[in-house]
Amino acid sequence: KAGVTQTPRYLIKTRGQQVTLSCSPISGHRSVSWYQQTPGQGLQFLFEYFSETQRNKGNFPGRFSGRQFSNSRSEMNVSTLELGDSALYLCASSLKVPLQKGDTEAFFGQGTRLTVV
Amino acid sequence: TQLLEQSPQFLSIQEGENLTVYCNSSSVFSSLQWYRQEPGEGPVLLVTVVTGGEVKKLKRLTFQFGDARKDSSLHITAAQPGDTGLYLCVGERAYKYIFGTGTRLKVLA
């Protein structure tokens, strides 16, 4: 079965622009989470969507937003880009309604490498 | 607040050596996952442990979940250069994921 697909893989933007990243979860998975990974901060949780609703949110400014569609695909948007937004953005999907204990593993996409210049 | 501490943070060893990575928390988790991540790629799931005291083996990798489900360890026997990468433990509680600080392993040929 296909894994988590993130597009694009690489992106270069200039300060002040906005960007939209896409994530297609594993078929049947209803939860999508987004993370920002930088060398200095490690993996930081952005937000999580389940059935088109944002259920959890990390400590990121309002410039970071997201949404989930009825087919569970999710998009993340960053407006007014800053140099510090350069990072690897990862999305992960999981069942979130586990049939049994242990069905909560998160499966990650390959990420989108965003560079802000 | 970082709830999952991994140690060591960095490890550079020779091929053939053994090593253990620790993941510790004061909180109880429903399950714990271990991932390995290579540069520029997403984390790849290695194993999930759900029962206190559980031990799982994946070839040369042995994973153990603490009896109280607060800590875990990853032991690699006879490390190989292909084991090089960032190892992450991730605790899951109430459908929320808590990421460990990560252990960056380099195995030299």
Side-chain angles (χ1 to χ4, degrees):
Chain A
K1 99 183 157 179
V4 179
T5 304
Q6 288 187 247
T7 56
R9 286 292 311 276
Y10 304 94
L11 206 50
I12 300 176
K13 290 284 189 178
T14 56
R15 276 182 299 176
Q17 286 187 309
Q18 75 164 21
V19 66
T20 299
L21 312 181
S22 178
C23 173
S24 293
I26 291 172
S27 177
H29 284 195
R30 295 166 64 184
S31 170
V32 174
S33 303
W34 287 91
Y35 301 86
Q36 181 194 67
Q37 188 178 35
T38 59
Q41 297 294 320
L43 266 162
Q44 302 286 316
F45 171 70
L46 281 156
F47 26 66
E48 183 229 349
Y49 287 87
F50 180 77
S51 293
E52 303 178 65
T53 301
Q54 186 182 88
R55 290 207 306 188
N56 293 299
K57 190 176 188 302
N59 296 323
F60 277 80
R63 300 185 296 106
F64 292 81
S65 63
R67 58 179 176 167
Q68 186 180 34
F69 302 95
S70 57
N71 61 359
S72 293
R73 189 177 72 86
S74 178
E75 287 183 347
M76 190 192 97
N77 185 277
V78 187
S79 61
T80 320
L81 284 166
E82 300 176 359
L83 294 179
D85 297 332
S86 295
L88 180 68
Y89 290 87
L90 293 162
C91 91
S93 77
S94 67
L95 284 172
K96 278 303 191 197
V97 184
L99 300 176
Q100 59 186 7
K101 201 175 182 185
D103 278 350
T104 54
E105 294 106 327
F107 294 88
F108 286 85
Q110 291 182 295
T112 294
R113 169 74 63 187
L114 171 64
T115 301
V116 182
V117 298
Chain B
T1 302
Q2 187 58 260
L3 299 179
L4 258 179
E5 295 290 337
Q6 279 185 244
S7 60
Q9 285 189 46
F10 302 96
L11 193 55
S12 181
I13 60 172
Q14 294 293 325
E15 182 177 3
E17 292 184 17
N18 302 333
L19 67 119
T20 302
V21 177
Y22 299 94
C23 177
N24 294 298
S25 172
S26 58
S27 305
V28 176
F29 294 104
S30 301
S31 67
L32 190 139
Q33 287 98 44
W34 283 92
Y35 294 83
R36 183 175 74 209
Q37 184 179 22
E38 298 185 17
E41 301 292 329
V44 175
L45 179 67
L46 296 173
V47 78
T48 297
V49 285
V50 299
T51 305
E54 182 177 4
V55 176
K56 280 192 173 179
K57 292 194 175 185
L58 184 66
K59 296 184 181 177
R60 294 175 294 100
L61 279 60
T62 302
F63 304 85
Q64 184 164 9
F65 204 11
D67 291 341
R69 305 206 315 273
K70 294 182 179 181
D71 54 82
S72 181
S73 64
L74 156 61
H75 182 80
I76 301 179
T77 302
Q80 298 177 1
D83 296 327
T84 294
L86 175 68
Y87 288 81
L88 291 163
C89 64
V90 182
E92 182 268 323
R93 183 175 61 243
Y95 307 137
K96 293 185 181 180
Y97 298 103
I98 310 299
F99 282 82
T101 46
T103 295
R104 196 165 295 279
L105 171 66
K106 186 167 186 178
V107 182
L108 305 170

